[in-house]
Amino acid sequence: MTDSPAAGASPVVDMRGITVEFAGIKALDGVDFRLFPGEVHALMGENGAGKSTLIKALTGVYRPTAGTIRLKDEPVDFTTPGQAQDAGISTVYQEVNLCPNLSVAENILLGHEPRRLGAIDGRAMRARATGLLARIGLTVDPASVLSSHSIAVQQLVAIARALVVDARVLVLDEPTSSLDSDEVEELFRIVRVLRDEGVAILFVSHFLDQVYELSDRMTVLRNGTLVGEYLPRDLDRMGLVSAMLGRELGVLTEVERRSEERAPGSAPVLVARGLGRAGAIEPFDLEIHEGEVVGLAGLLGSGRTELARLLCGADRADKGTLSVDGETVRPRGPRSLIARGVAFCSEDRKAEGVVADLSVRDNLILATQASRGWARPVPRRTAEAMVAEYIERLDIRPADPDAVMGNLSGGNQQKVLLARWLVTRPRLLILDEPTRGIDVGAKAQIQKVVAELAAEGMAVLFISAELEEVVRVSDRVVVLRDRHKVAELSGGDVSVDSVMSAIAADAHGEVAVAS
């Protein structure tokens, strides 16, 4: 790993005072960012920190409201991604955005095909592709169809494509999210080769171990502002986590806990043993009892949602066993677990929850109606009683069953989605970021309802990026890091400090401290 940039070296990218606004809301506020030739620079921050916005400002997707961008000491003002690519800035995204039905060579040279007599020269194209693949040490048949290769190879093909324009800057946006450990090592080998050739590499990842293994410097963003630029040796994992979350270990005020501890039921509602899915979450054990709230904590990308999707049957596990109320289940989809009383409220309410054009009533009874089948509609009187009960219990506003769902505030939409599952009387309720993006009042109301549900005997898995919130509502907290379950805390061990320590620990379970 290289040291800090050599004295007198000029950055290949120098962004100063970058501000990006949408409808008066600042997604970035006066951010500075430097990227030097021959370095891997990690861009760190939680969801909403502004990482993607900064990258899009650099690559011509967004035009900054204020600030300047210089490329090799020359001012630039990209208005399209094509202009940024022509200037030598290439991006490889988390989701491979290539054409799976085309050959490897066609994907690499797409838009830059060599021509002869006005037609594409296939032989020259394959030869050029072979040379680019050789540059990164990848041996595949350039004539082979891209879809015949693994995601890891496709990711490397995307990097080869980035080299077509003789990239001086390579942006890698979560490139390891779908790769196993061996594939990650191969990707890192290629990244180091390019770094040593002088390419400046901007690396975005939520895997702390990978960041410390690969990066030469780090820039941390939080809430659209710059926290700082650091050498990895000067910022230990705990310091990095604190910078990203805006909290410091040792000076945190303990959040007020529940007024009384809730003892787990005598038998677990759900038991997972060695449950896992390749590329999503490593095998884990978990029990959730009646009347218990289990919190799930970890940084973005740690595997929180992936774990939840296995428990509710949205994704199929390829390892381990799952049982509900003592009965082993092999779910083929969410319906089999819904039938056993497992309900899942997704973090993406817009894409996976809200039906914006329907009324509050129709949204609220949707799960109940689905369980009955469309040939047996919920009786009108029953539906009205259910809707009225939960509009009152959750203080949904406006208190009008006929209100159009899309016209409600985010907090009230979230309450309707919570009510949708509560009317089914589930044994286990999985809540994935139920308070994200809602106001303080709605957040407090949902937390209060979670406590009431547990007191009534319901089991709850509560997932949140806000550590204080997880600590406040949970009897136990399971901590994830880099897709692994790394800790399980209960009783007096449940605190923000202990959760942060588990998140920041290295691969050996020790909290690394900078020398």
Side-chain angles (χ1 to χ4, degrees):
M1 186 165 65
T2 64
D3 209 331
S4 56
S10 297
V12 64
V13 171
D14 192 1
M15 307 175 75
R16 296 290 176 182
I18 300 298
T19 297
V20 177
E21 292 188 32
F22 301 104
I25 299 174
K26 291 183 178 180
L28 287 178
D29 189 2
V31 170
D32 297 340
F33 178 76
R34 304 183 303 162
L35 184 61
F36 287 82
E39 75 164 351
V40 178
H41 192 133
L43 184 60
M44 305 298 293
E46 277 286 84
N47 187 31
K51 303 187 302 296
S52 295
T53 305
L54 185 68
I55 289 172
K56 289 176 179 178
L58 172 63
T59 57
V61 178
Y62 296 153
R63 199 169 188 181
T65 309
T68 61
I69 302 175
R70 299 180 72 86
L71 186 67
K72 293 290 287 184
D73 292 328
E74 295 293 329
V76 294
D77 182 18
F78 302 133
T79 57
T80 67
Q83 292 178 351
Q85 291 173 11
D86 291 341
I89 301 176
S90 292
T91 305
V92 177
Y93 294 99
Q94 174 180 352
E95 301 295 335
V96 180
N97 57 342
L98 299 178
C99 302
N101 58 315
L102 299 182
S103 71
V104 168
E106 287 170 327
N107 273 281
I108 292 176
L109 276 301
L110 192 63
H112 301 274
E113 299 90 346
R115 293 180 178 271
R116 184 170 180 270
L117 302 177
I120 294 174
D121 187 339
R123 178 178 296 178
M125 181 168 63
R126 288 188 293 275
R128 177 84 192 281
T130 299
L132 291 167
L133 292 169
R135 181 179 171 186
I136 61 175
L138 184 60
T139 305
V140 297
D141 181 0
S144 60
V145 177
L146 183 69
S147 60
S148 66
H149 298 289
S150 68
I151 293 296
V153 170
Q154 293 183 36
Q155 194 77 270
L156 299 179
V157 169
I159 292 177
R161 171 173 167 73
L163 301 179
V164 172
V165 296
D166 194 23
R168 292 181 286 179
V169 176
L170 179 62
V171 180
L172 300 178
D173 189 0
E174 294 286 355
T176 65
S177 60
S178 300
L179 308 184
D180 62 27
S181 57
D182 291 338
E183 292 167 340
V184 169
E185 284 304 313
E186 177 64 12
L187 175 67
F188 282 8
R189 181 191 65 78
I190 290 170
V191 169
R192 292 185 181 104
V193 167
L194 296 176
R195 179 195 64 188
D196 294 343
E197 291 179 359
V199 177
I201 299 168
L202 194 165
F203 178 58
V204 179
S205 176
H206 294 294
F207 300 124
L208 299 190
D209 289 343
Q210 294 179 8
V211 167
Y212 278 91
E213 177 183 350
L214 187 65
S215 62
D216 303 306
R217 283 188 304 136
M218 302 182 293
T219 289
V220 180
L221 302 181
R222 185 174 69 244
N223 297 328
T225 62
L226 174 67
V227 177
E229 177 187 293
Y230 310 92
L231 292 175
R233 70 185 183 199
D234 296 333
L235 187 70
D236 58 47
R237 285 170 171 79
M238 181 58 73
L240 176 58
V241 172
S242 297
M244 292 167 61
L245 299 180
R247 309 167 183 88
E248 295 183 9
L249 187 66
V251 297
L252 295 168
T253 301
E254 179 62 26
V255 177
E256 182 181 354
R257 298 290 304 282
R258 306 161 303 285
S259 59
E260 61 181 60
E261 296 288 336
R262 293 184 289 272
S266 57
V269 175
L270 178 142
V271 177
R273 292 283 181 257
L275 200 68
R277 178 181 171 89
I281 183 75
E282 294 299 317
F284 63 90
D285 294 343
L286 180 65
E287 291 187 8
I288 307 177
H289 296 251
E290 281 187 352
E292 180 183 39
V293 180
V294 175
L296 197 57
L299 296 177
L300 191 69
S302 60
R304 298 179 315 224
T305 296
E306 289 80 359
L307 184 150
R309 289 178 63 87
L310 289 189
L311 297 184
C312 73
D315 292 333
R316 187 179 299 185
D318 51 27
K319 301 181 184 70
T321 61
L322 182 67
S323 63
V324 178
D325 288 326
E327 181 181 350
T328 299
V329 293
R330 294 178 178 82
R332 297 182 177 273
R335 289 177 66 102
S336 56
L337 281 166
I338 291 173
R340 289 173 169 81
V342 178
F344 174 54
C345 197
S346 169
E347 66 173 337
D348 191 348
R349 63 173 175 261
K350 288 186 177 180
E352 299 180 355
V354 170
V355 185
D357 295 332
L358 295 184
S359 67
V360 168
R361 176 192 298 104
D362 291 337
N363 271 274
L364 200 151
I365 68 169
L366 196 59
T368 302
Q369 182 61 71
S371 67
R372 293 170 59 92
W374 300 111
R376 298 175 56 236
V378 178
R380 180 80 176 186
R381 182 174 298 180
T382 302
E384 294 294 348
M386 289 191 302
V387 171
E389 176 186 352
Y390 282 95
I391 283 179
E392 179 179 359
R393 181 172 184 180
L394 298 182
D395 192 24
I396 296 170
R397 301 178 185 180
D400 178 9
D402 295 313
V404 176
M405 185 71 162
N407 293 338
L408 271 62
S409 68
N412 283 290
Q413 288 181 3
Q414 191 66 55
K415 291 179 185 180
V416 174
L417 297 182
L418 178 57
R420 174 188 294 171
W421 292 110
L422 294 184
V423 298
T424 67
R425 310 290 182 183
R427 297 275 291 133
L428 168 63
L429 178 62
I430 301 173
L431 299 175
D432 191 0
E433 295 287 2
T435 64
R436 175 184 290 169
I438 65 177
D439 61 55
V440 174
K443 182 177 294 190
Q445 181 72 19
I446 288 175
Q447 292 172 1
K448 177 175 178 287
V449 169
V450 168
E452 291 173 349
L453 294 171
E456 294 169 3
M458 188 180 296
V460 180
L461 180 65
F462 189 92
I463 306 170
S464 176
E466 297 185 28
L467 301 188
E468 291 94 341
E469 182 175 49
V470 173
V471 167
R472 182 183 299 118
V473 303
S474 303
D475 299 296
R476 283 188 293 128
V477 175
V478 171
V479 183
L480 300 180
R481 185 183 67 246
D482 296 352
R483 300 176 181 159
H484 291 78
K485 176 185 172 183
V486 295
E488 185 169 322
L489 310 170
S490 59
D493 293 331
V494 177
S495 69
V496 175
D497 281 6
S498 59
V499 173
M500 286 185 66
S501 294
I503 292 173
D506 62 18
H508 303 290
E510 299 178 354
V511 178
V513 179
S515 58

